[in-house]
Amino acid sequence: MLLRRHTIVRFGICLALAWTGFGSGTAFAIDGQLPTSRWLIFPGHEAQVMKLLAPWQEGSEVQGFRWEGARIDRFVACYLFRGPADVEAEICLAAHDGTAEFRGVPIRPLPALASAVLMRPRPADAASEALLDAVAARVTANAEGGALSGLWNRIYAKHIEDRLLPSPDDLLVWLPALLLWLLLAAARSMRGMPGGGWSWALGLLALSAALRYALPVEAPMTAWAWSRWTRIYSFADDSALLGMLLDELGGVDAYKVQSELLRITSIFSPLAVLGHSRKLFGAKWPAVGAALLLIVSPHHLRFSAADVQFIPSMLWSSAAFLWLYETLEARHPLSRALHLLGLVPLLALSLTARPLNIAYAPLMLLALAMAAQQAPRWWRWTVASPIVASAAIAGWGLISESSDAVGGVLSTRVMIDMATLIFRPDYDPLLYFRLTPPIWLPLILFGAALMLLRPAEAMLRSDDEPALPQRIVRLRGLWLCGWLFGYIALHGVVVVNEPMNNARYQLHSLPAMAMLGGVGLTGLWALGRERGALRLAAAFAVILVLAAPWLHRAAIADVDYVIAQERAFLRRSRAMMPSGCQLIEVATAESNMKIGRLEQMQHKIRGIRPVHKPWRVVVLDGTATALDEAGRAALAEHSRCQIFYEGVACAPGPWLAGRRPLCEQILQSGRWESITAARFRARVYDEGETGHLRANGDPVTLQLWRRIYEPGDRRPRPAAEGGR
């Protein structure tokens, strides 16, 4: 009885399952590799590793070798050097466990249980042995001051569950728990449906997953896509458990990790909307209609694998509404207290995910006001207190961080945009038929009309579902319309020129559209069963709804914009840039730097992040008309390998007939050969990312150039260079 009545108990079970499952799996994976005990380096020691060689710095010459950086894995910290004739040397520090070798290589004992190991070159020569002596002496000298203290932590295999598992705020603990709770809540809300609640919950989840893995294309679709990460990615980057698991794979593409996390949240969002709709309508069939509409929505599908914060925001907010209703329905004092505590993190996620998410606070307070039948007044006032407090904190943060943007809301242009956006088809999600199926508009209007004008007939109910009072149905219809049209108007604050870019903002309105459309779809189906003349119209509407992903498949997969083209080009070209090269890039702003962030693509998320940088990147100011002193010095360096990236910043625009002058000057500074190139016509998605490139149809060339060294150059280019 307790399990059936109190959702918090089921949430606790989900949390325990997630903790136990991930913990046992991690312990099993590591226990299979470790002996009885092992010394590990935990995250956060990057600066300490670099200081062990102080006063040396990257670029210092040591015994004829140039120090090029460091890297850290779970067990060792390694320093990388480059010597004469481009010989690479690698010296690692490992914890001394009493053996004479480390991975088959003889060790050099050091203070504080440390040892130095010459990993490369093998066999060692006199020069590399001298380098090892110098490094060992430098580490020994710094160790006397305690520089080695705390670098390694001893972990016993039999205590791995106690020592390595993170706290409940780790992403891989709370996110699986939240998703499992949503699945349980969806199954419970569908109890009594033909085939059972679990069949419906799992069926909707499977359909959602199938469409989101089959149709969306992984591509950047946010503003400032090269420098902005989603909030869920920040959680992933702070996850000790995820970092440890990914470290087993040797590093994983950070953009891929972000994309998969967003896809997972998009898959479960319809279940959150299902649970919320079931509580709001008091009926199962309209809730199924809402979840189904969201599952097949081309609008939602298009952004399901993109770096768009609105996708997880939809999951957090819908889950918060569902939890809010569960909190109101709690009866036992302990259950009420636990529900109230659980509401706080969901409010924090919901109200801070995006600046305009603050508008969910009044929606939640209005939902409380309409729940007089579900809870006494004192309990509703109690539940309102964390909402008001969270909204105040989120609002203060918004004003502090974006005071200029908040002040700009009162400008005449913004007020006009807010008032007229609903009449502009490219910016109103109801009328943007490229992503919103045309059948949605009549279904949404019909659903709103039923709730407002015919509340007694609005919901298709099962026999065991009591009807809500007509006044409550009308109020909730008004509430949904306020959500829908309120967010359409609010997004007049941010209007961009590209409608597809603007469409991501309107994801805020999508749950309200799906819920009103769910009422309209099931209401039309009910009328079709009663009146034969409407049966064909109802069947046709269902077919159009289900066929929407296929009919809009081109719009869902349309990611052929400049930012997506450039990221795809650089990811393809990464292997063509040898380690140790000097990479030169022109950027109009630091946020527009592209090639300098390439290493993030492969190694941003790791259990322990590498300090070693494979390239030396020089970023030149694209707003300058001529090379400055730093640029001339970089081009005159004559390093072993020099590569110039001709990116979007170099492309011609409306007021440039050819390349940007600075890019042309770089290519005229010596002889360059093209490694690879991509040419296409520009489609501008985000003006901030494309610099001066403002017009669709402008020619764009992306190209990697490698410098050809003349016979008289100080360091001639080798005949063959190995790529990474």
Side-chain angles (χ1 to χ4, degrees):
M1 182 67 178
L2 188 64
L3 286 175
R4 290 196 297 270
R5 290 185 59 190
H6 300 307
T7 306
I8 191 65
V9 178
R10 293 193 301 278
F11 184 83
I13 292 174
C14 294
L15 182 62
L17 287 173
W19 198 321
T20 303
F22 280 99
S24 301
T26 306
F28 177 82
I30 296 179
D31 192 36
Q33 298 185 29
L34 297 184
T36 304
S37 67
R38 193 64 181 268
W39 294 93
L40 298 182
I41 303 177
F42 283 177
H45 292 282
E46 292 85 352
Q48 181 181 2
V49 168
M50 302 299 284
K51 289 179 181 178
L52 283 171
L53 296 190
W56 300 347
Q57 297 179 346
E58 286 188 80
S60 298
E61 294 287 337
V62 183
Q63 298 293 324
F65 288 80
R66 185 177 188 272
W67 183 21
E68 293 200 337
R71 67 175 181 83
I72 308 173
D73 67 20
R74 291 171 299 153
F75 308 117
V76 297
C78 297
Y79 302 103
L80 297 102
F81 298 86
R82 189 175 300 279
D86 292 322
V87 172
E88 292 184 349
E90 182 177 22
I91 296 175
C92 297
L93 301 181
H96 186 26
D97 57 5
T99 62
E101 293 184 343
F102 177 81
R103 297 177 182 173
V105 181
I107 67 169
R108 179 79 57 87
L110 298 174
L113 297 177
S115 60
V117 186
L118 179 65
M119 302 301 294
R120 288 184 296 164
R122 305 302 306 170
D125 53 22
S128 58
E129 286 287 357
L131 176 64
L132 177 62
D133 292 339
V135 170
R138 179 77 351 238
V139 173
T140 299
N142 287 320
E144 294 176 357
L148 276 171
S149 177
L151 182 59
W152 284 280
N153 292 270
R154 194 164 197 168
I155 301 300
Y156 292 85
K158 62 181 180 180
H159 294 144
I160 274 179
E161 289 88 345
D162 301 327
R163 298 294 301 277
L164 285 186
L165 279 185
S167 62
D169 64 354
D170 191 285
L171 177 72
L172 287 198
V173 174
W174 65 261
L175 181 60
L178 177 63
L179 300 182
L180 283 170
W181 168 69
L182 286 174
L183 183 60
L184 287 170
R188 183 169 182 252
S189 67
M190 291 293 100
R191 188 182 300 163
M193 293 284 281
W198 277 103
S199 299
W200 282 89
L202 292 175
L204 291 171
L205 185 65
L207 178 60
S208 178
L211 289 175
R212 277 149 187 79
Y213 274 103
L215 295 178
V217 178
E218 179 192 344
M221 293 186 196
T222 191
W224 309 106
W226 284 89
S227 56
R228 176 184 288 179
W229 297 92
T230 60
R231 179 73 61 83
I232 195 170
Y233 174 82
S234 300
F235 295 142
D237 201 28
D238 293 334
S239 169
L241 185 53
L242 179 61
M244 188 163 52
L245 293 176
L246 293 181
D247 193 51
E248 295 292 326
L249 305 177
V252 176
D253 188 319
Y255 294 113
K256 183 66 175 177
V257 172
Q258 177 175 251
S259 173
E260 290 306 312
L261 286 172
L262 292 168
R263 199 190 309 260
I264 289 170
T265 60
S266 73
I267 288 171
F268 278 83
S269 293
L271 293 189
V273 171
L274 175 74
H276 179 199
S277 303
R278 175 68 175 84
K279 296 293 185 181
L280 186 69
F281 299 143
K284 293 186 278 287
W285 284 110
V288 171
L292 184 62
L293 283 170
L294 186 61
I295 287 172
V296 299
S297 165
H299 195 168
H300 194 257
L301 284 168
R302 171 177 168 76
F303 295 101
S304 290
D307 51 351
V308 173
Q309 181 64 30
F310 298 94
I311 292 296
S313 168
M314 189 181 301
L315 180 71
W316 312 147
S317 58
S318 297
F321 277 115
L322 175 56
W323 190 271
L324 180 65
Y325 282 107
E326 295 277 5
T327 304
L328 290 175
E329 294 171 358
R331 294 293 178 264
H332 192 278
L334 178 60
S335 178
R336 281 176 168 169
L338 293 175
H339 270 90
L340 207 59
L341 287 174
L343 182 61
V344 174
L346 284 173
L347 288 173
L349 286 171
S350 302
L351 300 182
T352 62
R354 290 285 309 179
L356 289 183
N357 277 37
I358 192 70
Y360 282 126
L363 287 174
M364 290 177 180
L365 293 175
L366 287 172
L368 288 177
M370 295 186 297
Q373 284 190 321
Q374 294 169 273
R377 177 177 295 181
W378 72 269
W379 180 233
R380 284 184 284 136
W381 278 103
T382 303
V383 175
S385 58
I387 300 175
V388 173
S390 300
I393 295 171
W396 178 257
L398 178 62
I399 293 172
S400 302
E401 296 176 8
S402 310
S403 56
D404 292 340
V406 173
V409 172
L410 302 178
S411 69
T412 304
R413 181 191 62 80
V414 170
M415 298 298 287
I416 292 174
D417 283 340
M418 293 175 70
T420 61
L421 211 62
I422 193 172
F423 304 109
R424 299 162 65 178
D426 283 348
Y427 300 99
D428 181 353
L430 292 171
L431 303 176
Y432 189 48
F433 296 135
R434 192 174 178 200
L435 288 179
T436 301
I439 189 62
W440 276 45
L441 181 58
L443 289 177
I444 290 169
L445 295 177
F446 185 54
L450 283 176
M451 294 188 74
L452 298 176
L453 304 178
R454 305 289 293 273
E457 304 173 13
M459 305 299 169
L460 176 60
R461 300 181 180 278
S462 303
D463 295 336
D464 60 339
E465 294 174 326
L468 293 175
Q470 295 187 31
R471 176 176 170 272
I472 296 297
V473 175
R474 286 195 179 97
L475 285 175
R476 293 183 178 181
L478 285 171
W479 182 80
L480 284 173
C481 291
W483 178 349
L484 171 58
F485 295 109
Y487 260 120
I488 292 175
L490 275 175
H491 279 297
V493 175
V494 184
V495 178
V496 295
N497 290 334
E498 170 54 43
M500 276 291 197
N501 190 357
N502 196 77
R504 65 189 174 91
Y505 292 102
Q506 296 298 350
L507 285 167
H508 269 141
S509 306
L510 197 55
M513 292 170 61
M515 285 190 273
L516 286 171
V519 173
L521 182 64
T522 53
L524 182 61
W525 185 261
L527 287 176
R529 291 195 306 180
E530 297 173 2
R531 304 174 187 176
L534 292 176
R535 189 173 303 168
L536 185 60
F540 185 61
V542 171
I543 292 171
L544 287 179
V545 165
L546 295 176
W550 183 81
L551 295 174
H552 293 259
R553 63 192 185 281
I556 294 170
D558 182 15
V559 297
D560 197 20
Y561 292 92
V562 171
I563 56 172
Q565 295 261 26
E566 187 168 26
R567 183 177 291 180
F569 172 76
L570 287 175
R571 293 174 86 171
R572 290 194 308 268
S573 306
R574 190 181 184 280
M576 302 178 187
M577 305 176 200
S579 178
C581 276
Q582 181 192 68
L583 304 187
I584 300 173
E585 176 184 9
V586 172
T588 54
E590 183 180 354
S591 58
N592 280 332
M593 182 178 68
K594 314 291 172 51
I595 208 164
R597 293 189 171 94
L598 272 178
E599 187 60 11
Q600 291 180 338
M601 296 181 181
Q602 184 66 19
H603 294 296
K604 182 82 167 73
I605 297 183
R606 287 181 65 98
I608 297 170
R609 292 152 182 81
V611 181
H612 170 57
K613 302 176 181 64
W615 310 291
R616 287 174 294 127
V617 179
V618 178
V619 181
L620 303 180
D621 182 8
T623 60
T625 56
L627 284 168
D628 57 13
E629 184 176 347
R632 288 192 295 270
L635 289 170
E637 185 177 323
H638 296 305
S639 63
R640 178 184 70 93
C641 172
Q642 207 170 49
I643 288 178
F644 169 55
Y645 171 52
E646 181 186 352
V648 171
C650 293
W655 52 85
L656 280 178
R659 288 189 186 96
R660 188 179 289 271
L662 185 64
C663 302
E664 192 67 44
Q665 191 173 348
I666 292 171
L667 290 173
Q668 291 176 359
S669 66
R671 292 180 58 201
W672 301 82
E673 64 179 357
S674 176
I675 304 174
T676 184
R679 295 174 177 84
F680 51 87
R681 290 284 176 180
R683 291 183 65 204
V684 176
Y685 184 79
D686 174 36
E687 294 179 354
E689 282 282 354
T690 52
H692 66 286
L693 195 67
R694 303 288 184 181
N696 287 329
D698 286 349
V700 177
T701 298
L702 306 178
Q703 197 155 194
L704 283 180
W705 298 88
R706 178 169 47 201
R707 186 157 186 176
I708 302 175
Y709 291 93
E710 303 293 343
D713 285 342
R714 178 165 56 89
R715 298 187 67 184
R717 182 171 60 91
E721 296 174 346
R724 279 175 59 85

